[in-house]
């Protein structure tokens, strides 16, 4: 049995402004997008190598620089700088991490200020997550960003934040001619209408999928999160489609749409 390791460097680029949704915005979600090859996935990991925030906050008044004198002690100078950072008119950018699709855990935050004499500031967000050269998210890790109102308002029209950086997706796969035994199967029972819906969610441990059209209208399947009428894999009433990952190396979402109202029954084995 041989093992293959795939590595892919991915760019982080997310714009946040006054039109962005409130609350926590997912920035990185560990997935197999862009990784190809057959076989069973043994592990999937994401390593954040670089993570910065560009912030141009013009809606707030410029900060007042601290009045530091030569008589000030090191402690007094430090507190004056901290007072400017955390007591000035500001927004707050918080960084969250998660190991599932529902829960978020706060790991750090920075003040977003309108700096005197400079049009913008750049923050190294990686420092909030680790002292090492990279952050290991693991197989199911997510990273999120929240811009919080701390009493001085929220983002306005000319304000801009850009989250940018890079991470490495590392996937370890057993050779395609070896399929481990099935250890679990999940029934699929999905109503399919004229609006595209994900009928099988992505999973790293997929081994086999079977889908049968038990309704009265044609169904169209797509490998991805969005299906389209009269495109993709057609399933006539009574028709079925199945595959193992040894034949079709797709571990992502499977979506479906119908020309009427129909029903999909099936199974996914892992």
């Amino acid at each position: 049995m041989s093992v293959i390791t795939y590595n892919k460097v991915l760019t982080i680029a997310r714009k946040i402004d006054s039109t962005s949704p409130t609350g926590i915005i997912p920035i990185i979600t560990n997935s197999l997008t862009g990784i190809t090859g057959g076989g069973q996935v043994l592990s999937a990991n994401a390593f954040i190598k670089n993570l910065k925030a560009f912030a141009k906050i013009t809606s707030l008044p410029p900060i007042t620089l601290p009045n530091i004198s030569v008589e000030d002690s090191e402690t007094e100078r430090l507190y004056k700088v901290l007072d400017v950072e955390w007591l000035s008119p500001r927004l707050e950018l918080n960084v969250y991490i998660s190991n599932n699709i529902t829960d978020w855990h706060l790991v750090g935050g920075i003040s977003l200020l309108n700096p005197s004499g400079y049009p913008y500031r750049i923050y190294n967000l990686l420092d909030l997550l680790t002292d090492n050269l990279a952050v290991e998210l693991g197989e199911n890790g997510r990273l999120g960003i929240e811009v919080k109102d701390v009493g001085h308002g929220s983002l306005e029209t000319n304000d801009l934040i850009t989250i940018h950086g890079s991470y490495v997706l590392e996937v370890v796969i057993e050779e395609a001619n070896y399929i481990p035994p099935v250890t679990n199967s999940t029934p699929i029972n999905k109503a399919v209408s004229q609006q595209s819906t994900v009928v099988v969610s992505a999973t790293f441990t997929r081994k086999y999928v079977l889908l049968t059209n038990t309704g009265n209208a044609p169904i169209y399947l797509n490998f991805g999160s969005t299906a389209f009428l009269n495109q993709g894999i057609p399933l006539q009433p009574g028709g079925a489609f199945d595959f193992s990952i040894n034949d079709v190396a797709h571990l992502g979402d499977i979506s479906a749409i119908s020309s009427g109202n129909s029903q999909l029954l099936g199974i996914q084995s892992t």
Side-chain angles (χ1 to χ4, degrees):
M1 178 179 67
S2 62
V3 173
I4 301 172
T5 300
Y6 292 91
N7 286 280
K8 188 175 183 69
V9 179
L10 301 171
T11 298
I12 303 166
R14 181 61 187 261
K15 173 185 175 182
I16 302 175
D17 58 18
S18 59
T19 64
S20 300
T22 59
I24 301 172
I25 301 172
I27 299 298
I28 300 175
T29 298
N30 196 354
S31 71
L32 292 179
T33 302
I35 299 294
T36 58
Q40 174 65 24
V41 174
L42 300 178
S43 67
N45 208 343
F47 299 90
I48 305 173
K49 299 284 190 177
N50 182 25
L51 186 65
K52 289 184 170 63
F54 164 93
K56 184 179 180 182
I57 309 298
T58 60
S59 61
L60 296 175
I63 61 174
T64 301
L65 296 176
N67 184 15
I68 297 175
S69 67
V70 293
E71 291 83 11
D72 289 340
S73 67
E74 289 295 328
T75 301
E76 289 172 331
R77 294 178 185 181
L78 175 61
Y79 274 108
K80 286 183 177 182
V81 172
L82 289 175
D83 285 345
V84 169
E85 193 72 20
W86 294 100
L87 299 181
S88 299
R90 66 190 181 89
L91 302 174
E92 189 167 297
L93 187 147
N94 292 325
V95 180
Y96 293 81
I97 199 164
S98 174
N99 62 349
N100 55 53
I101 62 172
T102 57
D103 301 318
W104 288 103
H105 306 283
L106 179 65
V107 294
I110 58 173
S111 285
L112 300 176
L113 306 170
N114 184 358
S116 297
Y118 292 91
Y120 59 83
R121 295 179 79 181
I122 295 179
Y123 305 85
N124 187 1
L125 300 183
L126 199 64
D127 289 343
L128 301 176
L129 297 166
T130 183
D131 294 329
N132 298 320
L133 297 177
V135 176
E136 188 173 1
L137 278 184
E139 182 172 314
N140 54 351
R142 295 192 300 157
L143 186 76
I145 297 293
E146 175 193 36
V147 179
K148 187 176 180 181
D149 179 356
V150 288
H152 302 281
S154 55
L155 291 172
E156 297 187 9
T157 302
N158 293 324
D159 295 333
L160 174 65
I161 300 168
T162 303
I163 309 298
H164 60 98
S166 64
Y167 67 103
V168 176
L169 180 62
E170 179 184 272
V171 181
V172 180
I173 302 177
E174 283 182 332
E175 61 183 349
N177 60 6
Y178 173 78
I179 301 180
V182 169
T183 57
N184 182 58
S185 291
T186 304
I188 298 167
N189 187 347
K190 295 282 187 178
V192 182
S193 66
Q194 297 177 50
Q195 183 174 356
S196 174
T197 184
V198 173
V199 292
V200 185
S201 297
T203 175
F204 295 136
T205 56
R206 175 180 298 155
K207 297 186 181 78
Y208 175 75
V209 172
L210 168 66
L211 297 171
T212 302
N213 183 355
T214 60
N216 298 317
I219 290 175
Y220 300 90
L221 303 176
N222 186 44
F223 287 164
S225 58
T226 305
F228 303 93
L229 283 174
N230 303 313
Q231 297 182 38
I233 302 169
L235 281 186
Q236 298 300 323
F241 173 76
D242 71 322
F243 69 93
S244 74
I245 61 160
N246 220 29
D247 301 319
V248 181
H250 179 67
L251 303 172
D253 291 337
I254 302 174
S255 55
I257 194 170
S258 176
S259 57
N261 292 311
S262 204
Q263 192 76 21
L264 268 179
L265 293 181
I267 195 170
Q268 174 169 245
S269 298
T270 57

